[in-house]
């Protein structure tokens, strides 16, 4: 069970890094927001889901 939480946290860290770099670049590039806003919203949804799932699974570890 601990390995599952560690993998979730690793995925969370990688996705957070991608979002921290990707969102400002997308917003600064002319015309890119319209092309990639659905991808950004989906990524943010996955990020929030990872936070919730990691918290729930972590509550089962004693």
């Amino acid at each position: 069970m601990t390995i599952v939480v560690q993998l979730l946290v690793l995925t969370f860290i990688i996705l957070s890094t991608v979002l921290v770099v990707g969102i400002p670049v997308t917003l600064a590039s002319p015309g890119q927001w319209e092309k990639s806003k659905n991808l950004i919203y989906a990524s943010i949804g996955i990020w929030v889901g990872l936070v919730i799932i990691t918290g729930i699974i972590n509550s089962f570890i004693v």
Side-chain angles (χ1 to χ4, degrees):
M1 188 65 120
T2 304
I3 191 87
V4 173
V5 172
Q6 289 176 349
L7 289 174
L8 284 170
V9 170
L10 177 65
T11 307
F12 176 73
I13 290 170
I14 292 170
L15 183 60
S16 295
T17 305
V18 168
L19 289 174
V20 162
V21 173
I23 290 176
V25 169
T26 302
L27 292 174
S29 302
Q32 288 298 315
W33 172 247
E34 290 81 19
K35 293 179 185 176
S36 58
K37 69 178 176 181
N38 290 334
L39 178 63
I40 290 175
Y41 286 144
S43 300
I44 292 171
I46 293 170
W47 187 88
V48 169
L50 277 172
V51 170
I52 293 169
I53 291 170
T54 303
I56 291 171
I57 291 178
N58 193 32
S59 68
F60 293 117
I61 296 178
V62 177

